[in-house]
Amino acid sequence: MNMVMAPKPANWRSFDRFSGNQTAVSVGLVCESPDMATLITEDIIAVHGTSAPSTPLSAHIDIVGMGWDVLVLQCDEHSHIAQQLLEKLALQPLINRPVIILQISIEALDDIFPVAESLEADILIGDVRAERIAALLSTRRRSNLAEQDEDTAFMLRRLTEQMDGFAKQLERLSSSGSTGSNERGRASDTRLASPKDGFRGKKDDTPWLINDGKTGHFSANDVRRIISARRRRDNIFGDDLFADPAWDILLDLYAAFLEERQVAVSSLCIAAAVPPTTALRWLKLMTKSGWLEREADPIDRRRVYMRLSAKALKTMQSYLDNIALDDASLL
């Protein structure tokens, strides 16, 4: 297939990432939707002070040869084209890769997520202007909070506060898990063993924590009832008041572990009960913190699933085994 070279405005200056002599940033824009191309171009102008060339995703542009500092790639349905473009970038030396802002639909997430993560792309789910502006601002060498609009500044402050709160929650969970106590006097029944024959999890011989039917007094249905109660509470009080994506992610993955079910990234973003872009940031943070792990699809290695780490499984079981079922509705 022939590659198309998109035009580059003559008044754009090349950005030296190492010398710092230039502050201008060349931004390339590849969009599936013409309407979104217009909106994104307006935001690029607002942040960088110059227009960006917009190229249709269907044109199969030669991204590698453009020399852009920043690439904004928007995709709704044709995820296979976006995936191919990103895979070409992944083959390039790090110095030749642009900073990538990827705006996609939740439906396209599972196909694109593995290669996007390998490129450390900033993944935005849906059309949320504040998140897009924040991502564009992060590509400026000399941006500061005062330059951002109030909505964007509020969003960034709130995300920082959520991360701080998450760190405290992990510390509390670790403390609960380290005691090893059980109000009912039972030791933990989770064990290291090979997966059951019907389990579609890891295909190697690595021992893994599995559900052997003796995981304390909480069943998968019990955990699902906790999650359902949390969603009913959100319906009454609103989504923002009790937003706790880290705990929702842990609960959903623990229930999936008990059910011996694999969880796709897009499904976990929905389970987090926060905007998908925010959920992705939590997944990245929790993975780096050692609470979550990625698992490649044994059939399609380009796709990944998410699961709890061994540490997270032990901590979740210890915590849930130390509370009564009657108290679980308050979680």
Side-chain angles (χ1 to χ4, degrees), residues 264-297:
V265 175
S266 59
S267 175
L268 200 54
C269 286
I270 296 172
V274 291
T277 301
T278 303
L280 278 175
R281 295 189 179 113
W282 280 100
L283 293 181
K284 185 175 182 179
L285 175 63
M286 295 173 75
T287 302
K288 286 186 175 180
S289 300
W291 292 90
L292 306 184
E293 293 180 346
R294 299 183 181 92
E295 178 185 8
D297 188 323

Side-chain angles (χ1 to χ4, degrees), residues 191-209:
R191 58 185 174 84
L192 284 171
S194 299
K196 296 179 181 178
D197 292 338
F199 182 54
R200 296 180 59 240
K202 290 176 69 65
K203 298 301 181 182
D204 55 29
D205 297 326
T206 305
W208 183 245
L209 278 167

Side-chain angles (χ1 to χ4, degrees), residues 36-311:
M36 283 307 309
T38 300
L39 295 176
I40 296 174
T41 297
E42 292 176 354
D43 291 341
I44 294 174
I45 293 173
V47 172
H48 290 287
T50 184
S51 61
S54 176
T55 304
L57 181 64
S58 58
H60 295 271
I61 184 175
D62 181 12
I63 293 178
V64 175
M66 294 309 300
W68 286 321
D69 300 309
V70 179
L71 168 64
V72 181
L73 178 59
Q74 182 269 327
C75 171
D76 291 323
E77 298 178 358
H78 296 87
S79 59
H80 63 285
I81 301 178
Q83 184 178 0
Q84 291 170 3
L85 295 177
L86 294 174
E87 287 173 349
K88 291 181 182 295
L89 283 178
L91 296 175
Q92 300 303 307
L94 183 60
I95 192 173
N96 294 337
R97 299 178 191 170
V99 176
I100 301 171
I101 299 174
L102 185 61
Q103 180 175 312
I104 59 177
S105 63
I106 189 70
E107 293 78 13
L109 177 60
D110 290 327
D111 290 332
I112 297 179
F113 179 77
V115 65
E117 276 288 276
S118 70
L119 290 168
E120 298 185 351
D122 196 344
I123 306 175
L124 313 178
I125 307 299
D127 176 25
V128 181
R129 188 173 187 234
E131 293 174 347
R132 186 166 60 242
I133 291 178
L136 288 167
L137 282 168
S138 70
T139 65
R140 293 178 53 169
R141 289 199 47 113
R142 298 174 183 174
S143 63
N144 55 67
L145 200 61
E147 294 176 326
Q148 303 168 23
D149 59 62
E150 293 182 0
D151 290 340
T152 302
F154 174 77
M155 184 196 71
L156 294 177
R157 286 196 299 269
R158 183 175 179 184
L159 180 60
T160 301
E161 292 169 357
Q162 286 179 333
M163 289 184 175
D164 290 341
F166 174 59
K168 295 178 181 177
Q169 291 167 13
L170 294 185
E171 184 178 354
R172 289 198 299 270
L173 281 174
S174 297
S175 298
S176 299
S178 63
T179 60
S181 62
N182 191 309
E183 288 181 354
R184 299 194 177 194
R186 292 192 313 273
S188 173
D189 292 313
T190 298
R191 58 185 174 84
L192 284 171
S194 299
K196 296 179 181 178
D197 292 338
F199 182 54
R200 296 180 59 240
K202 290 176 69 65
K203 298 301 181 182
D204 55 29
D205 297 326
T206 305
W208 183 245
L209 278 167
I210 67 169
N211 172 18
D212 61 1
K214 301 178 180 179
T215 54
H217 56 279
F218 271 87
S219 67
N221 287 335
D222 292 329
V223 180
R224 291 295 177 196
R225 282 196 290 270
I226 295 173
I227 296 172
S228 178
R230 290 172 63 80
R231 299 292 76 80
R232 290 195 299 271
R233 183 181 64 181
D234 291 343
N235 291 336
I236 295 173
F237 291 95
D239 296 338
D240 296 334
L241 186 58
F242 295 106
D244 193 356
W247 186 233
D248 284 314
I249 288 169
L250 291 173
L251 284 172
D252 189 74
L253 287 179
Y254 188 66
F257 160 72
L258 295 176
E259 297 162 346
E260 298 187 354
R261 180 178 59 84
Q262 292 175 308
V263 181
V265 175
S266 59
S267 175
L268 200 54
C269 286
I270 296 172
V274 291
T277 301
T278 303
L280 278 175
R281 295 189 179 113
W282 280 100
L283 293 181
K284 185 175 182 179
L285 175 63
M286 295 173 75
T287 302
K288 286 186 175 180
S289 300
W291 292 90
L292 306 184
E293 293 180 346
R294 299 183 181 92
E295 178 185 8
D297 188 323
I299 299 176
D300 184 354
R301 305 295 294 183
R302 295 173 299 179
R303 295 171 65 90
V304 297
Y305 297 100
M306 301 300 298
R307 68 184 183 193
L308 296 175
S309 66
K311 174 182 74 170

Side-chain angles (χ1 to χ4, degrees), residues 9-27:
N11 62 337
W12 278 24
R13 291 176 292 166
S14 177
F15 179 62
D16 188 340
R17 300 177 185 174
F18 301 99
S19 69
N21 293 332
Q22 296 283 355
T23 58
V25 179
S26 61
V27 185

